[in-house]
C-alpha cells in the first residue's frame, strides 16, 4: 500500500492504494465517480479520459500512485449534474451522443481543443476536429454529431450564431 | 391526429436522456455495487478444441485470501439450449461451464470468486487446466469435410443445419436466360463491439425469495424467462434490470450463459456476485457476426430482366448455437432476403450453418443482411457490366414498383419508394460519376462511384418467428401508460434503451395522444419489475411496435380523459380535443378544462366522474409485428478515391436516401442512420476478426481489431423519403439497423468501379486494395 494525496474535482483526499491500482478504478471506487468509463483498459478507445493537471490523460493506463499530489478533473466537474458546460450542451443539441458510454471521454478530450480554438479565435476545419478526436472511439454516432457539437461549441464561444 | 394540434411526433426534439449521460450521472452495469459482493473471473479455454483432462485449483489454498472455485462439475446439466425444431437441424447445447470438452478459445471452463476484482483475476491465474488437444475444424471447407469428426457426440457431420427455400420455376428461368452470371462472394467474420462490454450482477434476497439480476442486456424479460426455466425458479421471483446500457447493436440481444451462471452463483454462495467482461473477453468470447460465403447464379434476359436466381449460402457459425435466434437464424435470413427489392419470378436458395472451433455467431446490426446485400448488389453490378448496361438502368428495370407486392417466396412488401430513391440517388451522384470517368486516365488516383439498393424487413411479428420455429417465439412490445393526479404521465415500456433515444421519442408519441408536453412524460424501461412483458429492443422494432403500443395505450387513456371532460363540460366526448394541457370543445376553445383537473377527478375527486365510470387513469397495449413485417428501403452510395500506388482509400462522399415511413424524431433518425452507416463502413473497410489455422484468435485488442475512427469517416449525407406504412399505427417502419446494411455493398461497388476489377470479398482494407490495383500499377 502506498499513501497518496489526490485533488479530484476540487476535493482533496489522502488514501492508501495498492501501487497496481489504476487511476480509473480509484476514481470510480474511492471517489465514486461513475462518469469515468472503462472501454478497453488498454489505452485505445479514450473512454476513460480525465484531466490530470489540466491535460487529457487515459486513466486506464495510469496508476493512481503516479498521480500523487496531482489535480484531477472528471466529467462530473465540467458542467455539474445539469451538464451545462458549453460542449456538453452542444453534444445535446447536435446529437453527439447515443448510448453515452464513450461520451465523458470525448468531452474530456475535446474540451481543451474547444477552449484553445476559442482562445485563438479560429474555427477549425472539420478535418482538424476529426483529428482531435482520433484517440476516441464512438460506436453509435458515426462521429457526425460530435463534429457538429465541437463546431457549435466553438461557434458559441466565438460569439457566432452557430 | 387533427391538423390544428401541435404534433410532437416528427419534431426535432433534443433528447431527455442526454443530461444524465453527459454529466456522468448515468449508471451502467459496472456502477452496480452491493455490500458483501463477490467478484467473478472466468478461467477460459486457451486452446480451441480439446478434452479437459483435469482442473487443479489447489494452488489457491496458499493464496492468502478467500476464493471460491466452480467448474462444469458443479454446474452439470445447466446449459444454453438454442434449437430450432427442424428435422434437418442437429441438436447441441452449450454448458454454462465446459463439461468434458472445450470447443473454442475463450469458452468458460471455470470461475473464481473473490472479494475484490483484482484478487479474483489473480486467483484465476492459479487455476490450472490440463487439456488433451483435438484436431480443429477451422474453416467452412473443413466443416464440410466428412473425414473430420463432428464437434458434438451424436452428430453425423459439422453441418449444423441445411435447408432450402424456393419459389417459381427456376428451370424455366435458366432455359429462357440469355446470360448466366455466377459469382461467389465472401464477407468476413466480425465482432460487434459496443463501447461498454457486457456484465452481470446478481443478488438473492431470501427474505422475499427474490433473485435480482442486473445485466447489460437488450432483452430483460427474455433473460428472466430463461433463468427461471433453467434454474427452475418461479418467474415472479426474478427481477431482471438492464441499467444504462452502453451500446448493444444486437450483440446484447441474446441470452448468455453467464447471465444464468452469475444468478446461480448468487444463490449458491448467498452473496451478491458481479462479473464485468473485459475487452479481450468481449472480442474473443461474447459473440461474433457475419462470416458468410454466397455462391449466386443469376439467369438474365438479353435486355436485362432478372429471370431467376439460385443461391448457395454457407455461414461459419462457430462452435455453439446462441439463444434465442440460433445457428439457423443467420443463414435462414440470407435465404429469405436475397430476392431483395427486385421483381424476381424464380428463386431457389440452399443455406447452411456449419460448426467450427470459433466463437459463436449471433445477431449484429443488420443480421445477415449486410452480407446478403453485399452479394445481391455486387451481383447486380456484375450483371450490368456483363450486359453493358448502366447499373441504375439495370436496377430500375427490375425494381418492384407496385405495392403491396408479393415476392417469389410469398412475403408481402408494404408501400415503399424503391424506384424513387434510386432516381434521387442518381441525381445526387451525377457530378461524381463524371469525376470517376475522368480519373480513369490517372496512373495514381482512381475515383469510383458505387451504390446499393436494398429493403429491410423490420418489426418482425409472431408469424415470422412461428414460421421459423425459432425460440424467440414472438415479437410483440407492450406499453402501459398511466397518468398521476398532477396530470403528468408515466410510460412503462417493454423496450430497453441503449442509445436509441426512446425516452424522448416514446414521450413524443404519448404527448400527441394525451395533449400534454413530452417533458411531462417519464419513460421507464429495462426493468421487469415495472414494465410489461415484451421481447426487448432488437430487430428494428422500437419505433414501429414500441411507438405503436404507446400510441394505442395513450389513445385509450385519452378516450377516458375525453369522456370525463365531456361530462364536466356538458358536451359529447367526440367534441373534445386534447392539446396544450387542455381539453377543449371543438370550435369553442374558450370552453375548456385543464387536463390535470381531469386527472385529479379520475384519481382523487372521483365524485366528479360520470356515473358508473371506474376511477383510475391507466391503459395497457401490446402490439405485435405485421405478418411479414414492414419493409424499409434505402439506397446507399459511396464515392471513393484510391491511391493505386499504396492501396490507400479515402471516402470522398457517403450518401443515403432512406425511407423508414413516418419519422418520429429527425434528430434521432439521422443519428441512427449515420451511426449504422459508420458501422457498415467498418464492415466494408476495417473490421476483421481473424483466427489462425489452429483457431487461435489474432485480433484480441483494439490495436489489432480496427474500427472506424473519426478521421477516416466523411460527413454522412442523409436524405429522407417518407412513405408511411398502413401496417403500424403511426406509419413508422423500423430503422435502427438499415444504416449498417448498405455500406459494404456500396463501397465494394465503388471500388470495382474505380479499379475496373471484380470485388468478391470484404474487408476492403489497404492490403486488399493494393492487391486489387496491381493491374493498374503493372500497366504503368
Amino acid at each position: 500500500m502506498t499513501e497518496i494525496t489526490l485533488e479530484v474535482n476540487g476535493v482533496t483526499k489522502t488514501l492508501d492504494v495498492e501501487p497496481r491500482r489504476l487511476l480509473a478504478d480509484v476514481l470510480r471506487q474511492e471517489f465514486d465517480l461513475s462518469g469515468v468509463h472503462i472501454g478497453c483498459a488498454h489505452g485505445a478507445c479514450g473512454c476513460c479520459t480525465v484531466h490530470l493537471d489540466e491535460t487529457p490523460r487515459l486513466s486506464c493506463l495510469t496508476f493512481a500512485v503516479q498521480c500523487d499530489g496531482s489535480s484531477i478533473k472528471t466529467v462530473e466537474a465540467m458542467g455539474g449534474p445539469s451538464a451545462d458546460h458549453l460542449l456538453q450542451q452542444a453534444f445535446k443539441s447536435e446529437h453527439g451522443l447515443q448510448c453515452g458510454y464513450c461520451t465523458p471521454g470525448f468531452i474530456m478530450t475535446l474540451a481543451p481543443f474547444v477552449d484553445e480554438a476559442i482562445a485563438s479565435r479560429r474555427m477549425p476545419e472539420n478535418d482538424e476536429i476529426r483529428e482531435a478526436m482520433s484517440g476516441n472511439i464512438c460506436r453509435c454516432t458515426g462521429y457526425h454529431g460530435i463534429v457538429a457539437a465541437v463546431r457549435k461549441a466553438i461557434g458559441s464561444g466565438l460569439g457566432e450564431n452557430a | 391526429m387533427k391538423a390544428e394540434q401541435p404534433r410532437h411526433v416528427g419534431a426535432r426534439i433534443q433528447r431527455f436522456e442526454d443530461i444524465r449521460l453527459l454529466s456522468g450521472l448515468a449508471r451502467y452495469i459496472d456502477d452496480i455495487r452491493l455490500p458483501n459482493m463477490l467478484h467473478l473471473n472466468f478461467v477460459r479455454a486457451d486452446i480451441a478444441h480439446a478434452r479437459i483432462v483435469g482442473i487443479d485449483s489447489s494452488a489457491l489454498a496458499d493464496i492468502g485470501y478467500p476464493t471460491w472455485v466452480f467448474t462444469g462439475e458443479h454446474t452439470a446439466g445447466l446449459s444454453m439450449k438454442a434449437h430450432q425444431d427442424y428435422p434437418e437441424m442437429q441438436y447441441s447445447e452449450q454448458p454454462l461451464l465446459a463439461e468434458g470438452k472445450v470447443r473454442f478459445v475463450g469458452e468458460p471452463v471455470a470461475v473464481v470468486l473473490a472479494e475484490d476484482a483484482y484478487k479474483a483475476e489473480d486467483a484465476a491465474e492459479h487455476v490450472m487446466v490440463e487439456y488433451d488437444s483435438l484436431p480443429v475444424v477451422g474453416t467452412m471447407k473443413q466443416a464440410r469435410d466428412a473425414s473430420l469428426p463432428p464437434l458434438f457426440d451424436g452428430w453425423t457431420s459439422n453441418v449444423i443445419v441445411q435447408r432450402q427455400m424456393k419459389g417459381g420455376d427456376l428451370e424455366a428461368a435458366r432455359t429462357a436466360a440469355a446470360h448466366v452470371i455466377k459469382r461467389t462472394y465472401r464477407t468476413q467474420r466480425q465482432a460487434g463491439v459496443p463501447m461498454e462490454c457486457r456484465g452481470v450482477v446478481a443478488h438473492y434476497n431470501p427474505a422475499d425469495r427474490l433473485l435480482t439480476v442486473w445485466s447489460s442486456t437488450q432483452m430483460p424479460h427474455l433473460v428472466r424467462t430463461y433463468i427461471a426455466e433453467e434454474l427452475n425458479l418461479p418467474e415472479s421471483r426474478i427481477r431482471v434490470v438492464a441499467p444504462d446500457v452502453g451500446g448493444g447493436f444486437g450483440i446484447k440481444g441474446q441470452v448468455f450463459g453467464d447471465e444464468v451462471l452469475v444468478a446461480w452463483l448468487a444463490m449458491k454462495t448467498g452473496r451478491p456476485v458481479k462479473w464485468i467482461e473485459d475487452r479481450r473477453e468481449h472480442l474473443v468470447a461474447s459473440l461474433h457476426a457475419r462470416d458468410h460465403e454466397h455462391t449466386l447464379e443469376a439467369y438474365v434476359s438479353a435486355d436485362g430482366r432478372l429471370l431467376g436466381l439460385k443461391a448457395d449460402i454457407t455461414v461459419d457459425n462457430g462452435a455453439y448455437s446462441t439463444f434465442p435466434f440460433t445457428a439457423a437464424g443467420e443463414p435462414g435470413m440470407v435465404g429469405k432476403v436475397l430476392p431483395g427489392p427486385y421483381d424476381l419470378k424464380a428463386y431457389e436458395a440452399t443455406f447452411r450453418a456449419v460448426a467450427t472451433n470459433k466463437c459463436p455467431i449471433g445477431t449484429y446490426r443488420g443480421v445477415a443482411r449486410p452480407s446478403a446485400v453485399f452479394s445481391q448488389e455486387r451481383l447486380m453490378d456484375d450483371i450490368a457490366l456483363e450486359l453493358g448496361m448502366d447499373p441504375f438502368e439495370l436496377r430500375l428495370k427490375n425494381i418492384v414498383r407496385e405495392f403491396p407486392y408479393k415476392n417469389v417466396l410469398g412475403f408481402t412488401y408494404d408501400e415503399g419508394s424503391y424506384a424513387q430513391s434510386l432516381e434521387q440517388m442518381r441525381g445526387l451522384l451525377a457530378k461524381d460519376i463524371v469525376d470517376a470517368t475522368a480519373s480513369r486516365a490517372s496512373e495514381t488516383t482512381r475515383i469510383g462511384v458505387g451504390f446499393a439498393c436494398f429493403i429491410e424487413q423490420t418489426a418482425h411479428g409472431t408469424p415470422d418467428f412461428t414460421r421459423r420455429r425459432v425460440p424467440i417465439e414472438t415479437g410483440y412490445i407492450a406499453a402501459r401508460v398511466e397518468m398521476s393526479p398532477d396530470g403528468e404521465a408515466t410510460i412503462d415500456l417493454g423496450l430497453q434503451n441503449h442509445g436509441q433515444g426512446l425516452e424522448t421519442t416514446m414521450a413524443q408519441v404519448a404527448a400527441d395522444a394525451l395533449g400534454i408536453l413530452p417533458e411531462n412524460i417519464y419513460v421507464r424501461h429495462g426493468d421487469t419489475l415495472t414494465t410489461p412483458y415484451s421481447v426487448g429492443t432488437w430487430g428494428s422494432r422500437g419505433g414501429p411496435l414500441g411507438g405503436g403500443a404507446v400510441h394505442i395505450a395513450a389513445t385509450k387513456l385519452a378516450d377516458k380523459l375525453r369522456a370525463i371532460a365531456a361530462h364536466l363540460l356538458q358536451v359529447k366526448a367526440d367534441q373534445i380535443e386534447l392539446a396544450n394541457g387542455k381539453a377543449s370543445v371543438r370550435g369553442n376553445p374558450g370552453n375548456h378544462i385543464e387536463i390535470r383537473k381531469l386527472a385529479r377527478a379520475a384519481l382523487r375527486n372521483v365524485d366528479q366522474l360520470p356515473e358508473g365510470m371506474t376511477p383510475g387513469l391507466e391503459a395497457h397495449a401490446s402490439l405485435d409485428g405485421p405478418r411479414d413485417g414492414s419493409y424499409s428501403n434505402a439506397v446507399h452510395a459511396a464515392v471513393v478515391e484510391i491511391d493505386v500506388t499504396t492501396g490507400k482509400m479515402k471516402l470522398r462522399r457517403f450518401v443515403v436516401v432512406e425511407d423508414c415511413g413516418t419519422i418520429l424524431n429527425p434528430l434521432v433518425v439521422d443519428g441512427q442512420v449515420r451511426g449504422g452507416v459508420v458501422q457498415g463502413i467498418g464492415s466494408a473497410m476495417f473490421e476483421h476478426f481473424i483466427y489462425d489455422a489452429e483457431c487461435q484468435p489474432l485480433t484480441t485488442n483494439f490495436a489489432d481489431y480496427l474500427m472506424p475512427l473519426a478521421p477516416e469517416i466523411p460527413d454522412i449525407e442523409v436524405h429522407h423519403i417518407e412513405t408511411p406504412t398502413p401496417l403500424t399505427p403511426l406509419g413508422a417502419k423500423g430503422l435502427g439497423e438499415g444504416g449498417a446494411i448498405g455500406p459494404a455493398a456500396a463501397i465494394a461497388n465503388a471500388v470495382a468501379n474505380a479499379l475496373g476489377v471484380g470485388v468478391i470479398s470484404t474487408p476492403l482494407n489497404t492490403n486488399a486494395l493494393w492487391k486489387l490495383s496491381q493491374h493498374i500499377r503493372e500497366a504503368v
Side-chain angles (χ1 to χ4, degrees):
Chain A
M1 288 288 193
T2 303
E3 190 185 275
I4 57 169
T5 300
L6 302 177
E7 186 209 316
V8 180
N9 298 339
V11 177
T12 302
K13 257 195 209 180
T14 298
L15 58 166
D16 281 326
V17 295
E18 275 186 272
R20 65 173 179 168
R21 277 174 61 82
L22 301 177
L23 177 61
D25 286 334
V26 169
L27 292 173
R28 287 179 50 75
Q29 285 156 36
E30 276 81 341
F31 288 87
D32 203 19
L33 294 167
S34 60
V36 179
H37 296 163
I38 298 177
C40 69
H42 55 268
C45 76
C47 282
C48 65
T49 307
V50 299
H51 292 177
L52 180 67
D53 295 327
E54 301 187 352
T55 304
R57 182 84 162 251
L58 298 171
S59 62
C60 82
L61 284 192
T62 307
F63 294 115
V65 292
Q66 291 174 275
C67 308
D68 186 21
S70 299
S71 161
I72 292 159
K73 190 171 180 181
T74 70
V75 75
E76 282 86 347
M78 295 300 281
S82 52
D84 48 19
H85 185 277
L86 193 67
L87 184 58
Q88 288 171 316
Q89 288 299 310
F91 263 65
K92 182 169 187 285
S93 71
E94 303 310 304
H95 199 27
L97 72 157
Q98 288 181 24
C99 82
Y101 197 77
C102 72
T103 308
F106 271 89
I107 296 285
M108 301 313 284
T109 299
L110 291 168
F113 177 83
V114 168
D115 289 345
E116 200 179 306
I118 294 170
S120 59
R121 305 213 52 79
R122 189 180 77 86
M123 176 63 76
E125 298 297 322
N126 279 1
D127 284 354
E128 293 172 71
I129 297 172
R130 287 179 178 275
E131 199 56 42
M133 60 175 83
S134 63
N136 293 67
I137 302 176
C138 171
R139 198 63 171 157
C140 293
T141 63
Y143 304 106
H144 191 103
I146 304 178
V147 174
V150 171
R151 293 192 73 85
K152 169 119 180 201
I154 296 171
S156 345
L158 294 175
E160 293 173 10
N161 296 320
Chain B
M1 197 57 53
K2 288 155 202 81
E4 66 267 26
Q5 290 189 14
R7 266 174 58 101
H8 300 289
V9 165
R12 193 177 191 273
I13 294 177
Q14 293 178 27
R15 303 195 316 170
F16 303 139
E17 49 266 67
D18 284 352
I19 294 298
R20 83 167 178 277
L21 301 173
L22 282 160
S23 62
L25 290 173
R27 287 289 179 275
Y28 298 88
I29 188 69
D30 198 13
D31 301 318
I32 309 287
R33 273 183 270 155
L34 302 172
N36 208 27
M37 190 160 73
L38 295 174
H39 296 261
L40 182 157
N41 207 279
F42 280 102
V43 177
R44 294 177 180 275
D46 51 14
I47 186 166
H49 196 197
R51 275 177 219 294
I52 299 172
V53 177
I55 301 174
D56 178 7
S57 57
S58 58
L60 289 174
D62 301 324
I63 201 165
Y65 53 84
T67 58
W68 294 258
V69 179
F70 296 89
T71 69
E73 276 183 28
H74 302 97
T75 56
L78 297 177
S79 64
M80 295 307 296
K81 303 162 181 76
H83 188 66
Q84 291 192 35
D85 188 21
Y86 295 136
E88 306 91 337
M89 187 160 176
Q90 304 195 84
Y91 185 82
S92 65
E93 295 179 11
Q94 179 174 6
L96 298 190
L97 294 170
E99 293 174 24
K101 265 190 194 179
V102 293
R103 296 183 180 84
F104 71 98
V105 171
E107 180 169 356
V109 175
V111 293
V112 181
L113 306 177
E115 286 170 332
D116 167 285
Y118 282 63
K119 286 177 176 160
E121 191 165 345
D122 286 345
E125 294 190 0
H126 287 68
V127 177
M128 298 298 147
V129 186
E130 191 186 336
Y131 296 107
D132 185 4
S133 70
L134 294 164
V136 300
V137 179
T139 62
M140 290 178 189
K141 197 170 163 215
Q142 288 170 343
R144 296 181 70 186
D145 178 349
S147 72
L148 284 168
L151 260 56
F152 292 90
D153 296 339
W155 278 20
T156 55
S157 76
N158 282 313
V159 177
I160 306 170
V161 58
Q162 175 167 315
R163 304 189 68 232
Q164 239 185 19
M165 279 185 197
K166 54 182 153 184
D169 187 345
L170 197 68
E171 202 42 51
R174 192 201 321 260
T175 309
H179 303 270
V180 176
I181 291 117
K182 185 175 178 180
R183 297 282 187 277
T184 297
Y185 301 108
R186 187 76 168 84
T187 41
Q188 81 280 19
R189 178 170 281 250
Q190 274 189 248
V193 200
M195 290 317 294
E196 180 203 33
C197 291
R198 298 178 44 254
V200 187
V201 181
H203 168 56
Y204 181 69
N205 182 349
D208 49 13
R209 294 188 292 123
L210 185 71
L211 172 69
T212 304
V213 180
W214 292 263
S215 181
S216 187
T217 179
Q218 300 171 219
M219 40 172 56
H221 286 98
L222 297 193
V223 171
R224 189 184 77 181
T225 299
Y226 199 97
I227 291 173
E229 291 179 353
E230 196 61 19
L231 300 185
N232 197 22
L233 298 170
E235 202 163 336
S236 61
R237 300 292 177 147
I238 303 174
R239 174 187 187 186
V240 176
V241 185
D244 281 312
V245 170
F249 314 120
I251 298 299
K252 296 177 183 173
Q254 333 275 320
V255 181
F256 287 88
D258 44 57
E259 290 169 315
V260 184
L261 180 66
V262 173
W264 181 82
L265 286 166
M267 298 188 74
K268 188 86 183 163
T269 60
R271 292 175 67 169
V273 174
K274 178 177 192 172
W275 168 64
I276 299 298
E277 185 181 59
D278 72 20
R279 189 51 74 182
R280 183 179 190 280
E281 290 180 290
H282 181 80
L283 285 168
V284 170
S286 60
L287 198 77
H288 286 171
R290 324 289 192 231
D291 210 346
H292 291 214
E293 185 171 282
H294 306 157
T295 296
L296 305 186
E297 194 169 298
Y299 310 121
V300 187
S301 73
D303 65 345
R305 278 283 306 153
L306 196 54
L307 305 175
L309 180 66
K310 186 177 175 186
D312 185 88
I313 294 144
T314 305
V315 173
D316 179 345
N317 177 79
Y320 294 103
S321 185
T322 52
F323 188 93
F325 301 105
T326 85
E330 187 86 2
M333 181 73 100
V334 185
K336 186 171 80 164
V337 305
L338 270 177
Y342 305 114
D343 180 26
L344 185 67
K345 297 285 189 252
Y347 174 70
E348 181 186 306
T350 304
F351 48 90
R352 66 187 68 79
V354 298
T356 58
N357 291 114
K358 299 177 188 168
C359 176
I361 286 280
T363 54
Y364 166 50
R365 204 172 195 167
V367 190
R369 288 163 293 198
S371 298
V373 169
F374 174 78
S375 301
Q376 168 209 307
E377 287 298 279
R378 276 272 56 238
L379 182 70
M380 290 304 275
D381 267 22
D382 280 344
I383 294 169
L385 197 65
E386 178 135 338
L387 272 66
M389 280 181 79
D390 174 84
F392 277 107
E393 285 306 319
L394 176 75
R395 287 170 175 85
L396 286 165
K397 193 170 195 107
N398 288 286
I399 203 84
V400 169
R401 291 170 188 271
E402 304 280 323
F403 300 97
Y405 171 82
K406 191 168 190 181
N407 89 354
V408 66
L409 292 172
F411 290 89
T412 301
Y413 301 170
D414 50 342
E415 196 80 17
S417 53
Y418 307 176
Q420 188 192 344
S421 55
L422 273 168
E423 296 282 14
Q424 186 174 342
M425 184 61 87
R426 177 150 66 174
L428 290 164
L429 296 177
K431 185 181 173 303
D432 300 288
I433 292 170
V434 173
D435 291 346
T437 309
S439 80
R440 296 296 170 266
S442 170
E443 290 172 0
T444 55
T445 307
R446 294 287 170 95
I447 295 168
V449 178
F451 64 96
C453 175
F454 63 92
I455 56 175
E456 181 199 356
Q457 186 189 18
T458 69
H460 304 69
T462 301
D464 201 69
F465 301 116
T466 308
R467 278 193 297 255
R468 288 196 246 161
R469 297 184 230 177
V470 63
I472 184 80
E473 294 174 333
T474 186
Y476 69 88
I477 298 295
R480 186 174 52 239
V481 181
E482 187 176 358
M483 193 171 269
S484 45
D486 61 1
E488 301 232 344
T490 306
I491 301 172
D492 286 320
L493 183 63
L495 293 170
Q496 187 282 328
N497 187 20
H498 45 284
Q500 292 85 348
L502 56 84
E503 292 169 39
T504 309
T505 51
M506 297 299 126
Q508 290 176 256
V509 170
D512 276 347
L514 295 172
I516 62 176
L517 293 174
E519 45 267 52
N520 295 332
I521 300 172
Y522 178 29
V523 179
R524 303 193 295 190
H525 61 87
D527 184 344
T528 62
L529 198 68
T530 56
T531 61
Y533 201 94
S534 301
V535 295
T537 302
W538 50 269
S540 298
R541 67 206 327 92
L545 303 186
V550 167
H551 172 78
I552 295 167
T555 302
K556 284 184 196 171
L557 200 61
D559 286 343
K560 186 160 184 180
L561 290 171
R562 274 189 284 267
I564 300 167
H567 172 70
L568 296 176
L569 298 174
Q570 296 296 299
V571 294
K572 291 200 170 69
D574 61 8
Q575 292 175 272
I576 298 288
E577 289 172 349
L578 303 174
N580 304 319
K582 293 183 189 115
S584 316
V585 178
R586 186 178 302 107
N588 183 10
N591 191 12
H592 69 261
I593 182 167
E594 285 175 276
I595 288 171
R596 64 182 177 87
K597 288 187 178 159
L598 302 176
R600 182 95 193 159
L603 293 156
R604 302 283 305 159
N605 309 125
V606 297
D607 56 318
Q608 295 178 11
L609 293 179
E611 199 176 327
M613 182 182 276
T614 47
L617 269 181
E618 63 171 292
H620 176 281
S622 72
L623 183 63
D624 204 347
R627 184 183 179 279
D628 291 346
S630 175
Y631 289 78
S632 294
N633 64 277
V635 180
H636 286 191
V639 181
V640 304
E641 182 180 309
I642 302 169
D643 180 341
V644 298
T645 65
T646 62
K648 191 159 170 55
M649 174 158 75
K650 181 186 164 194
L651 284 172
R652 287 163 68 107
R653 286 180 81 189
F654 199 98
V655 190
V656 174
V657 176
E658 72 83 40
D659 187 343
C660 64
T662 305
I663 290 175
L664 302 184
N665 180 336
L667 191 73
V668 167
V669 167
D670 286 351
Q672 290 290 311
V673 171
R674 290 192 171 109
V677 162
V678 173
Q679 287 191 358
I681 291 172
S683 302
M685 294 173 58
F686 302 105
E687 300 181 37
H688 190 185
F689 198 92
I690 303 172
Y691 283 96
D692 72 8
E694 291 301 313
C695 285
Q696 283 293 331
L698 303 181
T699 44
T700 62
N701 59 55
F702 286 166
D704 296 324
Y705 188 85
L706 302 180
M707 289 177 291
L709 300 174
E712 287 120 23
I713 301 301
D715 287 343
I716 312 292
E717 306 165 40
V718 184
H719 304 267
H720 303 287
I721 299 171
E722 266 186 271
T723 311
T725 177
L727 302 181
T728 68
L730 299 162
K733 304 173 178 181
L735 81 329
E737 297 172 89
I741 293 176
I747 290 170
N749 283 343
V751 169
N753 177 253
L755 301 178
V757 292
V759 175
I760 55 169
S761 61
T762 51
L764 293 161
N765 54 27
T766 303
N767 210 1
L769 290 165
W770 193 80
K771 287 178 191 159
L772 286 169
S773 49
Q774 188 174 353
H775 64 289
I776 299 174
R777 285 192 303 277
E778 282 173 358
V780 172

